[in-house]
C-alpha cells in the first residue's frame, strides 16, 4: 500500500440555520422598480389575480444579505466532506465521479430555461435527446422502451411493482396473484414498494453460499405469485448464478420478473437484463450513470420494459412522429398513468446521456471491468485487516462491485463496533461507508463499494485508514471508539434521528417541535447539531 497522505480537520463554525440569520429588511438582490410605461399598460398585476391565488401574508422566508448567504453556505461546505474533496466508497450506493462538464451542459440556458408546459414544437431538442437516450438504454439492457419519470431508485422499483399490478389486472388475475417474491439481500425497496402497491411480500433467505437457492424459490412459488423483484448482484456483491432458472420458474408460474439494477456498474456491457429473461428493469441514473445523488428529487430511475409491457408504462412517453420530429404520448390506456409529473428529471438524463456518449460502448464495459477489479483489489487487502471477515467463506465465487464485510470478530475481541470504525474513518479524511441495509443479517456489517472512479492511491488511502483503526482497536479500544475527533460534529447520538419528536423535515416542523423538547432532548439535539 502506498503511504498515508492527508490528515483531515473540519472547520467548526457553529453556524446557525439560515432562518436564524434572518434580519428584517436585509436583502440579497434589490430588483429595479417596474418601468412607468409597463405600469401604465398593465396596471396593478396583483389585483388581476383571482383572490384565491393571492397570498394573504408575506411568506416566512429568511431575509439575508448576499454576502451572508455566501458565507453561510461556504462555511457549511467547510464543515462537511464531499466526493470532490475526499474518498467515498459507500457500499450499495455507487458513489462515482460526476464529470463537471456535464453539470455545465445541464445548467446551460438551452435546458435550464425550458418549461415542461411549453408547446411540444418548442421542445424538440430536448425530446430528441430523451428519445435518443431511450434507445441507448434499450441497447444497454435489451429492453424495448424506457420511462425516465421516477425520481429515485425506490420510485423506479415502485414503478416496476405498479407495472406488475397493471399487467395482472389487465388479465383479470390480480385477485388471485397477490404475492411478490424478493430476496433478503436485495435493496429494501424491492420488498417495501410492492407492499405499498398492495402485494404480500415473500422474502427468500440466503443459504450456505450467501444467496437464496432454487429450492427456496420453488417453495415460495404458487398460483398466487405475481412476480419476482430482486437485485443481482445483491448487497453482498454476490451474483446469484441461478438467476436464469429463477426467472424461468417464475415465468412458468405466470409471474413477471423485475430486475433492480440500481447498481448496474459491474454488468454494463457484460450482462443484459432482457438476455437473462427479465420482463423489466430499472437503473439509477444518479448512481451507475454518474448523475450526482441528490436529496429526494435530484435523482432519476430509468425503468425499461419488454414490448408486452410497453402499454402499461406511465405517461407521457416520447415518441417519434411522422413529421420527422418528436411527440409526447399522454394516453394512459391500460397503464399506470403517472408516477410523477412530466417526463422525468431531465437534468439527470442529460448528465447520464453525456456520460454514456463520452465513454462509448467499449468505455461502458471498461467501467464494469474496472469496478470489479477495484473491488477485488480491496477484497485482497481487506482480508489482512485484523478483525475483518468476509461472510460465507465457503462461497468462492468472485464478488462483483461491492462486499459486505463483517467486524464481528473485532467487536467480540475489543468491543469496537463497525459503527465505531465508520465514525473514526472521518479523522483520516475518508467518508463513512454503508454499514448495511435492513435486515441486519451480517453481524457488525461494513459495506464498501469502490466503483471505477478511484485510483489505486485512493483505495490504499482508505485501506490504510481502516487498517490503522483496526490496529488501534486492539491497542487502545477507547480511542478507536471515541472518533471522530476532527470532524465538525463529533459522536452523534443515534436516538436523535430515530426519534420523531426530535427530527423535523421542515423549518416550520422544527419550530413547532422545539417548543416541546425536554431538556434532555434539547441537550442531545444541540450536541447532535454541532456540539463539540
Ligand atoms: C440496488 C438498489 N436499489 C434501489 C436503491 C434505491 O435508490 P434511491 O436511493 O435512489 O431510492 C438503491 C440505493 O441504495 C440500491 O442500491
Amino acid at each position: 500500500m502506498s503511504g498515508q497522505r492527508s490528515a483531515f480537520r473540519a472547520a467548526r463554525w457553529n453556524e446557525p440555520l439560515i432562518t436564524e440569520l434572518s434580519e428584517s429588511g436585509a436583502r440579497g438582490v434589490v430588483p429595479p422598480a417596474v418601468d412607468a410605461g409597463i405600469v401604465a399598460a398593465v396596471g396593478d398585476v396583483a389585483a388581476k389575480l383571482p383572490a384565491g391565488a393571492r397570498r394573504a401574508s408575506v411568506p416566512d422566508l429568511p431575509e439575508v444579505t448576499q454576502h451572508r448567504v455566501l458565507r453561510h453556505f461556504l462555511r457549511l461546505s467547510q464543515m462537511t466532506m464531499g466526493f470532490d474533496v475526499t474518498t467515498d466508497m459507500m457500499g450499495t450506493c455507487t458513489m462515482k465521479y460526476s464529470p463537471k462538464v456535464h453539470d455545465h451542459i445541464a445548467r446551460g440556458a438551452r435546458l435550464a430555461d425550458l418549461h415542461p408546459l411549453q408547446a411540444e414544437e418548442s421542445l424538440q431538442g430536448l425530446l430528441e435527446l430523451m428519445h435518443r437516450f431511450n434507445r441507448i438504454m434499450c441497447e444497454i439492457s435489451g429492453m424495448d422502451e424506457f420511462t425516465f419519470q421516477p425520481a429515485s431508485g425506490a420510485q423506479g422499483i415502485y414503478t416496476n411493482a405498479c407495472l406488475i399490478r397493471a399487467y395482472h389486472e389487465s388479465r383479470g388475475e390480480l385477485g388471485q396473484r397477490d404475492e411478490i417474491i424478493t430476496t433478503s439481500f436485495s435493496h429494501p425497496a424491492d420488498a417495501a414498494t410492492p407492499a405499498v402497491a398492495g402485494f404480500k411480500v415473500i422474502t427468500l433467505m440466503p443459504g450456505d453460499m450467501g444467496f437464496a437457492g432454487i429450492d427456496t424459490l420453488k417453495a415460495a412459488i404458487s398460483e398466487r405469485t405475481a412476480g419476482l423483484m430482486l437485485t443481482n448482484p445483491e448487497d453482498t456483491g454476490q451474483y446469484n448464478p441461478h438467476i436464469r432458472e429463477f426467472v424461468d420458474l417464475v415465468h412458468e408460474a405466470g409471474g413477471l420478473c423485475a430486475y433492480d439494477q440500481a447498481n448496474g456498474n459491474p454488468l454494463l456491457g457484460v450482462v443484459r437484463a432482457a438476455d437473462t429473461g427479465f420482463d423489466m428493469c430499472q437503473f439509477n441514473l444518479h448512481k451507475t450513470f454518474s448523475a450526482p445523488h441528490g436529496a429526494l428529487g435530484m435523482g432519476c430511475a430509468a425503468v425499461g420494459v419488454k414490448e408486452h409491457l410497453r402499454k402499461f408504462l406511465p405517461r407521457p412517453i416520447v415518441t417519434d412522429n411522422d413529421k420527422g420530429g418528436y411527440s409526447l404520448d399522454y394516453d394512459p390506456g391500460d397503464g399506470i398513468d403517472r408516477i410523477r409529473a412530466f417526463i422525468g428529471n431531465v437534468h439527470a438524463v442529460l448528465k447520464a446521456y453525456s456520460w454514456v456518449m463520452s465513454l462509448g460502448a467499449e468505455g461502458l464495459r471498461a467501467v464494469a471491468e474496472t469496478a470489479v477489479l477495484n473491488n477485488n483489489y480491496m477484497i485482497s487487502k481487506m482480508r489482512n485487516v485484523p478483525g475483518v471477515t468476509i461472510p460465507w467463506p465457503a462461497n468462492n465465487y468472485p464478488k462483483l462491485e461491492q462486499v459486505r464485510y463483517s467486524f464481528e470478530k473485532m467487536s467480540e475481541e475489543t468491543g469496537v463496533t463497525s459503527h465505531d470504525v465508520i465514525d473514526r474513518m472521518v479523522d483520516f479524511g475518508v467518508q463513512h461507508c454503508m454499514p448495511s441495509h435492513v435486515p441486519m443479517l451480517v453481524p457488525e456489517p461494513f459495506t464498501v463499494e469502490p466503483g471505477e472512479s478511484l485510483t489505486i492511491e485512493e483505495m490504499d488511502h482508505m485501506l490504510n485508514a481502516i487498517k490503522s483503526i483496526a490496529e488501534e482497536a486492539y491497542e487502545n479500544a477507547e480511542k478507536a471508539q471515541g472518533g471522530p475527533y476532527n470532524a465538525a460534529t463529533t459522536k452523534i447520538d443515534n436516538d436523535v434521528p430515530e426519534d420523531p419528536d426530535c427530527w423535523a423535515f421542515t423549518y416550520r416542523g422544527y419550530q413547532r417541535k422545539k417548543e416541546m423538547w425536554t431538556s434532555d432532548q434539547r441537550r442531545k439535539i444541540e450536541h447532535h447539531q454541532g456540539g463539540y
Side-chain angles (χ1 to χ4, degrees), residues 263-279:
N263 301 331
N265 240 24
L267 307 177
L268 289 173
V270 182
V271 175
R272 303 196 317 163
D275 299 341
T276 329
F278 281 93
D279 303 283

Side-chain angles (χ1 to χ4, degrees), residues 90-94 151-157 185-190 230-235 260-264 282 284-287 293-294 296 299-301 401-402 434 437 449:
M90 178 141 118
T92 93
C93 249
T94 316
S152 69
Q155 229 177 57
I157 301 167
F185 285 122
S186 290
H187 188 272
D190 291 289
L230 48 68
T231 313
N232 194 30
E234 299 190 297
D235 267 10
D260 169 9
Q261 292 198 286
N263 301 331
Q282 74 95 19
N284 284 15
L285 298 187
H286 51 290
K287 295 178 198 254
H293 292 218
L296 306 173
C300 179
E401 94 289 13
Q402 63 185 319
M434 177 90 172
H437 283 133
E449 179 183 355

